[in-house]
Amino acid sequence: MQRIWQQLKINLSNWQVWALPGTVVMGLVVAARLTGSLQGLELFAFDSFLRWRPTEPQDDRIVLVGIDEADMKKTGYPIAEQSLVNLLTRIETYQPASVGVHIFQNQIAPSGNSQSFSSLSRNPNLFVSEKILPAAEQIPPPTGFDAEQIGFIDIVPDSDNSLRRVILGTYDPIKEQTFKNYKFSLTVRLAESYLKKIGKIEKIDNGLRDPAAMRFGSAELPRVLPDTGAYVRVDNGNPQTLLNPRTGEQPFRYLSIQQLQSGSFDPSWLRDRIVIVGITDPKIRPNIPIATTGDNNSLQIQAHAVSQIISAVLDGRMLIRTWSK
């Protein structure tokens, strides 16, 4: 009996020396995790792992046409409507699959002909932009375009101003929540249009694993939930997915306005491609950091988001999934 009591005393002593402090430390770590105190460190680790991935080949299915600071001096700002119409008309002669205009209506200076820009709506493969969130800062799309030709380009940076999530859809916050007032992002519009044109999907479906998710063929986009991955109580009021940007110094082909005007490029670069046109002047559209390549302009971010979807469908490229809570 005395031997048993001595053994219990030894065990109790060991527990006080090792187990009790260990339990306290684990409790503190769990508490810090649940309150979000470790979120910054975990997101830093997440970004690091994304940067350390091998370089990927350029996605030549997407071409960016940037209107930079030098172009702004020539066209003026807001951009002269006729100059933009001429640019888009010229791009259309190369027969791209889809064209996304990543420019807000208030960044276009109307010309004397009020029908000039709206005349482009006859092209069903042309998509224009709007801002939908928050309600007080909405910017409507250019007039004359069908609802299926309009996509919002709102973004949701994290508290450190880095972008890791993409909004896919949302209800118009100032209208009744009906299907008629549900909005899709420009990312979704361009990906859907391209995949339909090449016969890979007929429509966007609901997810099989998650009925509230979007599914393009066999590629179901995992939703960001309040506690997805490193996040703690993140705002996910709209369907969002984690951005899986491509690695490499030049993940997409880029054409300048001068190249387009002079024709000093291979026409096959545009034929049957997704072309995204937008302003790259950082004074007008500030750059935003993403994990793989540091600061990116909004045009590049749009390309990463579109590429993520079409690459998942066509190449089986992995989407970012996380363990459940």
Side-chain angles (χ1 to χ4, degrees), residues 168-219:
L168 304 172
T170 183
Y171 286 104
D172 189 327
I174 64 174
K175 296 181 180 178
E176 183 183 358
Q177 290 193 4
T178 63
F179 181 76
K180 180 181 178 181
N181 295 323
Y182 193 81
K183 306 282 188 174
F184 288 101
S185 67
L186 185 64
T187 296
V188 170
R189 293 293 189 198
L190 291 173
E192 178 189 25
S193 172
Y194 181 78
L195 294 171
K196 279 183 176 179
K197 192 160 188 176
I198 63 175
K200 289 298 181 180
I201 66 169
E202 295 183 1
K203 61 183 178 67
I204 302 174
D205 293 304
N206 290 101
L208 299 177
R209 297 181 182 178
D210 177 4
M214 291 187 190
R215 181 166 58 90
F216 295 75
S218 60

Side-chain angles (χ1 to χ4, degrees), residues 42-225:
E42 292 190 58
L43 290 176
F44 175 78
F46 172 71
D47 293 347
S48 299
F49 281 119
L50 289 181
R51 279 194 297 271
W52 294 339
R53 294 179 301 174
T55 298
E56 296 178 86
Q58 186 180 74
D59 189 348
D60 61 3
R61 295 168 297 208
I62 299 175
V63 181
L64 305 181
V65 177
I67 305 174
D68 59 20
E69 186 176 1
D71 298 320
M72 290 284 98
K73 292 178 180 178
K74 294 179 182 178
T75 64
Y77 183 78
I79 303 169
E81 180 179 16
Q82 194 57 51
S83 296
L84 185 57
V85 169
N86 293 342
L87 172 63
L88 295 172
T89 302
R90 186 175 187 85
I91 290 173
E92 184 56 31
T93 62
Y94 294 99
Q95 301 178 339
S98 304
V99 178
V101 183
H102 200 274
I103 301 171
F104 288 126
Q105 182 189 40
N106 63 359
Q107 295 176 321
I108 304 171
S111 64
N113 180 5
S114 61
Q115 302 298 317
S116 183
F117 194 84
S118 61
S119 65
L120 297 174
S121 64
R122 292 192 293 266
N123 176 9
N125 298 319
L126 180 71
F127 300 86
V128 295
S129 301
E130 67 177 335
K131 179 174 175 55
I132 199 74
L133 301 171
E137 299 177 12
Q138 287 191 353
I139 301 174
T143 58
F145 289 82
D146 292 339
E148 291 76 17
Q149 293 177 277
I150 300 169
F152 64 81
I153 53 176
D154 299 80
I155 58 174
V156 282
D158 289 329
S159 57
D160 60 358
N161 200 41
S162 292
L163 189 74
R164 300 180 181 89
R165 296 171 284 147
V166 180
I167 308 179
L168 304 172
T170 183
Y171 286 104
D172 189 327
I174 64 174
K175 296 181 180 178
E176 183 183 358
Q177 290 193 4
T178 63
F179 181 76
K180 180 181 178 181
N181 295 323
Y182 193 81
K183 306 282 188 174
F184 288 101
S185 67
L186 185 64
T187 296
V188 170
R189 293 293 189 198
L190 291 173
E192 178 189 25
S193 172
Y194 181 78
L195 294 171
K196 279 183 176 179
K197 192 160 188 176
I198 63 175
K200 289 298 181 180
I201 66 169
E202 295 183 1
K203 61 183 178 67
I204 302 174
D205 293 304
N206 290 101
L208 299 177
R209 297 181 182 178
D210 177 4
M214 291 187 190
R215 181 166 58 90
F216 295 75
S218 60
E220 182 174 323
L221 306 185
R223 282 192 304 147
V224 173
L225 302 175

